Amino acid sequence: MPIDLTPISPDDVTGYYGSQVDMENVYGDTNIARYSDMTRSDPPTTNFTRIQAASDYADGQINAYFRDGAFSTPLAFIDSSSRVMARNWYAVIAGSWLYESNGIRDEQVGNKYTEMVKKVYAEMALHKSGIRRLGVQRRWPSPTSPVGGTANGN
C-alpha cells in the first residue's frame, strides 16, 4: 500500500493522547512551527505532516511503554486527571521528537528537552509499577475481595 503524502491541515493533526495544541502548550506555537519546518524558512512554515508524524511517534511510545503491563493499551482513561497527565506525556515526547528530528542543535535547549523526556519516562514508570495510581482500564480485572485460605482449606 503506497504512503499517503497528501498535505494535512492543522485540524487534522491529532493523536490518541493529544493534539498539536497540546504540543504548542508545552513548547510554544512558534517553536512547534520552527521544529516542523525542514526548510528552515523565516518565518517558519508549519509542516503539519511532520507534526502528525511526531504525534504518531508519541502515541506509539506511550503504548509501547505500557504494553504487556497491567493496563490495556491504548490507555482507556477512567478519570480526567490521568488523561491530562497523559496529554502532557504525549506533548513532551512529540515536541522533543520534532526538535531532534529537525537537526537543530542547541546544547542548552536540547539538554532541557532531553531532561523533560526523562522526567516523563520516570513518571510513567511510577504509574506502570503501581507506585502511583493511574486512572485507566486495567488489562485484567482486579479481585474484589482478598484471597484467603490455603490449598488445604485452612
Side-chain angles (χ1 to χ4, degrees):
M1 173 183 243
I3 298 173
D4 182 9
L5 297 176
T6 307
I8 59 177
S9 71
D11 295 334
D12 295 332
V13 175
T14 188
Y16 180 80
Y17 297 106
S19 68
Q20 179 177 339
V21 172
D22 297 310
M23 292 179 227
E24 291 170 346
N25 286 339
V26 172
Y27 293 95
D29 55 346
T30 302
N31 284 335
I32 292 299
R34 188 166 63 101
Y35 301 162
S36 74
D37 184 6
M38 295 300 285
T39 65
R40 296 192 174 87
S41 57
D42 189 23
T45 303
T46 304
N47 183 329
F48 298 110
T49 302
R50 278 189 35 79
I51 294 172
Q52 184 63 58
S55 176
D56 296 343
Y57 176 80
D59 282 345
Q61 289 297 299
I62 294 168
N63 286 339
Y65 190 83
F66 285 100
R67 189 170 291 123
D68 298 328
F71 307 114
S72 296
T73 54
L75 301 175
F77 299 96
I78 57 175
D79 69 42
S80 61
S81 62
S82 294
R83 178 153 234 353
V84 168
M85 187 172 33
R87 188 174 288 141
N88 182 65
W89 296 342
Y90 161 92
V92 168
I93 293 168
S96 179
W97 182 89
L98 270 177
Y99 172 80
E100 290 176 7
S101 67
N102 189 301
I104 300 170
R105 294 293 175 253
D106 176 327
E107 286 304 313
Q108 186 175 2
V109 172
N111 290 338
K112 176 184 173 185
Y113 292 170
T114 299
E115 286 304 311
M116 288 169 60
V117 171
K118 283 181 185 177
K119 286 180 183 177
V120 162
Y121 279 96
E123 188 173 282
M124 288 193 306
L126 292 173
H127 291 283
K128 185 176 181 177
S129 69
I131 293 172
R132 287 195 185 159
R133 183 181 177 278
L134 186 60
V136 299
Q137 184 177 356
R138 298 187 66 77
R139 215 167 142 199
W140 303 284
S142 299
T144 56
S145 63
V147 178
T150 61
N152 63 5
N154 294 327

